[in-house]
Amino acid sequence: MNKPSIVVSCPIDTYSGYGARGRDFVKALINLNKYDVKILAQRWGETRWGYLKDNNDTVFTPLIVNRLTQQPDIWVQISIPNEFQKVGKYNIGVTAGIETTLCDPSWIRGANNMDLILVSSNHALESLNRSKFDIKDEKTGQIKEKLDLKTKVEVLFEGADLTKYFPETKVESQEKELLDIKNTLDSIPESFCFMTTGHWMQGNFGEDRKNIGFTIKSFLETFKNKNNPPALVMKSHCMTTSIMDRDRMLEKIDAIRKSVKGKLPNIYLLHGEVSDKGMNVLYNHPKVKAFVSLPKGEGFGRPFLEFSLVNKPIIASSWSGQTDFLDRKFVRFVKGDLKNVDKSAAVKNILLTEAQWFSPDPIDVGKAYKEVYKDYKKWTVNAKRQGHKSRTEFSYEAMVSKLDKILIENIPEFPKQVSLNLPKIQLPRLQKTEPKLQLPKLNKLQNG
């Protein structure tokens, strides 16, 4: 039986969020065993290649092709929507969507190239549906087109791999990376550390998307001049994992420290690539007590989901993708308002100054830090309930099941190749011997 051919275009070999999404998606298709799967490996900005080699991959590499030799039945493109192209007989765009309230018109045009869009969260779905534009003629100023989303959109969450993120009491492995992480955290004098992760992106103070600068300052302001304060452990970088990038990070942290007066708590920076195993060791370390992340917006918020699996408290922004799976009864959400994207954080065709995203309330952030720190037992009980919800409702297996259902409901039947049943032609039978010719009998001539 011929399986429908499916080609997935994604940054599968990169150290990026979209790379992780691509690997999960392709693995899900392989597990479903209903499709002939091939991969077109793509770049993702400036993120580093080499994930497959570094992780000794034997699953994805054999499926990678350099180019298309024929039109696939199904074309899947995992990217931002303004890159979506119609290539297959049926076309699916997979995206985390946008972190703000609106997306650029080019995203709607790209999305309308596809037959189906899969987004990571209800937030992304709402932002796409909310993005409607009156396209005006540059010369006359008259409206020449009303642009809005025409393509069907389904929500497919990014399921957590329960074999990679889980509670563990000690490091059993002797792998160097894991032992280095353990020993580094063991050397920290504080017994209570808040943990934050995220790419420190462009933007003035308090305007970068992951809100790293604000997170640092709010922590310092909350615990300055305290006896035996907690520490903040940061797993972050600006652009790359180079030494120059690390030095830049330290300079930015130091600049924020100098803006806060008083005796300040310690901040520790972990810089560089860390594997899933390493992150699980980091999250589970007994000195890492809670996770704090105050992003302006998330298309999904994978670090929140992964950290929740180790059953420790979480402080989070109360808006955007992470609210799909973080339960308000179990997580300390912070209050805030929606404000326009600052010009310093705007990115052409992606983050628009006309769009809005979350700005956390500094007073409530301080309260959240103190509540989790002082009433840790209560928040640990809540964290275990959140962990149970994450494992049962937002696992990789649950994602695969939902993907299967979505594909069954939306992908059409493709014409199957059939053999031709031609009528049997009756050829005349040939005689085995040549027929005898009946020649006329000749009379004998007499000599005259």
Side-chain angles (χ1 to χ4, degrees):
M1 177 180 175
N2 291 329
K3 298 177 182 179
S5 61
I6 184 165
V7 174
V8 183
S9 172
C10 66
I12 197 159
D13 195 26
T14 65
Y15 282 88
S16 65
Y18 269 92
R21 178 62 154 162
R23 290 186 287 274
D24 286 349
F25 194 94
V26 173
K27 183 182 173 184
L29 293 175
I30 295 170
N31 290 346
L32 290 175
N33 197 28
K34 295 180 178 181
Y35 308 95
D36 178 17
V37 183
K38 300 296 180 187
I39 307 166
L40 273 177
Q42 305 293 351
R43 293 186 178 277
W44 188 252
E46 300 298 322
T47 54
R48 185 167 72 85
W49 283 60
Y51 180 92
L52 300 183
K53 182 180 178 181
D54 293 347
N55 289 271
N56 300 313
D57 169 67
T58 58
V59 176
F60 303 122
T61 302
L63 303 179
I64 295 176
V65 295
N66 294 323
R67 60 187 178 87
L68 297 182
T69 56
Q70 62 183 25
Q71 185 184 36
D73 293 322
I74 307 162
W75 167 258
V76 178
Q77 193 166 355
I78 303 178
S79 182
I80 54 177
N82 59 356
E83 297 180 350
F84 288 163
Q85 301 177 61
K86 197 178 190 74
V87 175
K89 297 172 187 175
Y90 189 83
N91 300 274
I92 303 173
V94 181
T95 184
I98 191 68
E99 297 87 358
T100 63
T101 54
L102 293 174
C103 62
D104 188 81
S106 64
W107 287 41
I108 302 301
R109 292 195 190 282
N112 284 340
N113 284 333
M114 313 307 271
D115 299 298
L116 177 67
I117 303 294
L118 301 181
V119 295
S120 299
S121 65
N122 285 289
H123 162 77
L125 169 64
E126 292 164 5
S127 293
L128 283 172
N129 284 328
R130 189 186 295 116
S131 300
K132 304 177 188 292
F133 304 93
D134 291 334
I135 308 300
K136 296 182 179 180
D137 187 280
E138 293 182 0
K139 294 181 179 179
T140 65
Q142 293 182 331
I143 297 174
K144 63 178 182 179
E145 178 188 7
K146 288 187 173 294
L147 180 64
D148 61 358
L149 186 67
K150 301 292 193 300
T151 304
K152 183 179 180 180
V153 184
E154 296 268 11
V155 176
L156 179 69
F157 60 87
E158 301 182 21
D161 189 336
L162 305 186
T163 67
K164 294 180 178 179
Y165 290 92
F166 51 87
E168 60 180 357
T169 56
K170 59 182 178 179
V171 179
E172 301 286 355
S173 172
Q174 295 300 305
E175 292 180 40
K176 183 178 184 304
E177 179 201 28
L178 308 187
L179 292 175
D180 285 347
I181 292 171
K182 176 185 179 300
N183 292 335
T184 297
L185 290 172
D186 284 347
S187 68
I188 293 174
E190 291 87 352
S191 61
F192 192 115
C193 297
F194 287 93
M195 173 88 207
T196 192
T197 65
H199 179 185
W200 198 336
M201 302 177 187
Q202 70 181 60
N204 294 335
F205 173 81
E207 302 296 347
D208 59 291
R209 184 174 76 77
K210 291 287 188 178
N211 223 359
I212 301 296
F214 174 84
T215 302
I216 293 170
K217 187 163 185 175
S218 62
F219 171 78
L220 295 174
E221 292 284 5
T222 301
F223 295 107
K224 67 181 181 181
N225 301 321
K226 304 293 185 187
N227 292 324
N228 301 316
L232 178 65
V233 175
M234 294 178 55
K235 171 64 185 74
S236 181
H237 64 278
C238 289
M239 294 296 293
T240 66
T241 56
S242 67
I243 294 175
M244 290 180 63
D245 188 272
R246 183 195 64 189
D247 291 342
R248 184 185 176 199
M249 286 284 297
L250 293 172
E251 289 173 2
K252 294 176 74 169
I253 294 169
D254 190 53
I256 294 174
R257 288 183 66 87
K258 289 178 178 177
S259 71
V260 181
K261 305 301 181 183
K263 183 182 177 183
L264 305 180
N266 288 327
I267 295 175
Y268 302 96
L269 173 64
L270 297 176
H271 188 272
E273 298 291 354
V274 177
S275 68
D276 287 312
K277 286 183 180 180
M279 291 304 294
N280 194 54
V281 168
L282 182 58
Y283 290 163
N284 274 285
H285 194 278
K287 290 186 178 181
V288 173
K289 300 296 188 183
F291 185 78
V292 55
S293 185
L294 307 169
K296 314 287 281 183
E298 293 283 4
F300 181 70
R302 182 182 286 245
F304 284 114
L305 181 60
E306 291 170 345
F307 187 89
S308 73
L309 298 173
V310 305
N311 297 338
K312 293 182 180 181
I314 293 174
I315 298 172
S317 300
S318 58
W319 184 80
S320 73
Q322 68 272 15
T323 62
D324 275 14
F325 56 87
L326 294 182
D327 195 308
R328 294 180 183 275
K329 298 189 296 292
F330 308 143
V331 168
R332 181 43 166 100
F333 278 122
V334 299
K335 302 173 184 176
D337 300 308
L338 294 183
K339 296 183 179 179
N340 282 65
V341 175
D342 189 76
K343 189 178 295 185
S344 64
V347 179
K348 186 178 179 181
N349 298 331
I350 300 178
L351 297 177
L352 310 177
T353 54
E354 300 89 342
Q356 294 184 315
W357 57 9
F358 188 75
S359 181
D361 175 12
I363 295 176
D364 196 48
V365 171
K367 288 181 180 178
Y369 275 122
K370 292 174 182 177
E371 287 173 17
V372 172
Y373 182 57
K374 292 180 179 179
D375 200 357
Y376 187 69
K377 186 175 181 179
K378 166 196 167 183
W379 287 103
T380 300
V381 171
N382 289 339
K384 290 178 180 178
R385 292 170 178 166
Q386 175 62 57
H388 175 74
K389 178 174 182 176
S390 297
R391 278 185 287 275
T392 55
E393 298 180 31
F394 293 93
S395 67
Y396 167 80
E397 288 74 18
M399 183 273 285
V400 175
S401 178
K402 184 168 186 181
L403 174 61
D404 188 29
K405 183 173 183 291
I406 290 172
L407 296 181
I408 290 172
E409 292 176 349
N410 289 281
I411 292 180
E413 287 285 334
F414 297 104
K416 292 183 173 61
Q417 190 175 14
V418 296
S419 58
L420 297 177
N421 293 319
L422 299 175
K424 190 173 182 180
I425 300 174
Q426 296 292 332
L427 297 175
R429 292 183 66 184
L430 297 177
Q431 297 185 34
K432 293 181 180 180
T433 58
E434 295 182 5
K436 293 182 179 181
L437 297 178
Q438 298 294 325
L439 298 176
K441 191 173 181 181
L442 298 179
N443 293 324
K444 189 175 181 181
L445 296 178
Q446 300 291 329
N447 292 328

